[in-house]
């Protein structure tokens, strides 16, 4: 998809490493340094911060012989999580961290 820079008029490159409020999101970057964030990603961040006011929690439940962790939709949308995705787990003092692999840039 073509995306033109509103500053210099050149074609912008699709990127997946725009840092918006600590979230790495997709968008477009120009040689001149101008960046356009993907509106859907920005919207997901706004929804996340709204949801934070009521608390964003994972639910733990038994699933066969395993324990499942259900993530709220706002998190799934924020990180574009799909079902059957395998996320590496890192332990840290007092918690675990799900490592989310960044989306590829579509050619
Ligand atoms: Zn530009």
């Amino acid at each position: 998809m073509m995306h033109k820079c509103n500053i210099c008029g050149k074609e912008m490159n699709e990127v997946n490493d725009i840092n918006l409020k600590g979230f790495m999101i997709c968008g477009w970057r120009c040689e001149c340094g101008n960046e356009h964030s993907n509106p859907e990603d920005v919207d997901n961040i706004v929804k996340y911060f709204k949801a934070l006011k009521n608390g964003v929690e994972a639910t733990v439940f038994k699933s066969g012989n395993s324990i499942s962790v259900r993530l709220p939709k706002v998190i799934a949308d924020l990180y574009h999580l799909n079902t059957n995705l395998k996320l590496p787990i890192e332990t840290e003092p007092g918690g675990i961290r799900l490592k989310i692999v960044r989306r590829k840039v579509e050619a």
Side-chain angles (χ1 to χ4, degrees), residues 4-12 29-34:
K4 272 201 168 178
C5 178
N6 62 321
I7 292 174
C8 71
K10 283 183 184 167
E11 192 177 334
M12 300 176 89
R29 183 176 294 123
C30 182
E31 288 170 21
C32 76
N34 187 24

Side-chain angles (χ1 to χ4, degrees), residues 5-94:
C5 178
N6 62 321
I7 292 174
C8 71
K10 283 183 184 167
E11 192 177 334
M12 300 176 89
N13 298 311
E14 202 165 350
V15 294
N16 66 355
D17 62 349
I18 294 176
N19 186 336
L20 185 64
K21 295 200 178 278
F23 295 96
M24 295 299 242
I25 65 168
C26 291
W28 299 266
R29 183 176 294 123
C30 182
E31 288 170 21
C32 76
N34 187 24
E35 287 179 342
H36 289 176
S37 301
N38 181 317
E40 191 188 324
D41 287 350
V42 174
D43 194 45
N44 287 337
I45 292 173
V46 171
K47 283 179 185 162
Y48 168 71
F49 280 108
K50 279 184 186 164
L52 269 186
K53 289 173 190 162
N54 299 317
V56 175
E57 293 178 325
T59 309
V60 179
F61 61 98
K62 197 163 164 43
S63 172
N65 287 327
S66 300
I67 294 293
S68 293
V69 178
R70 179 184 290 129
L71 299 174
K73 185 178 186 306
V74 71
I75 295 294
D77 290 345
L78 195 56
Y79 291 99
H80 301 268
L81 300 179
N82 300 309
T83 52
N84 299 322
L85 197 63
K86 299 231 181 239
L87 303 176
I89 298 170
E90 293 175 353
T91 58
E92 58 183 42

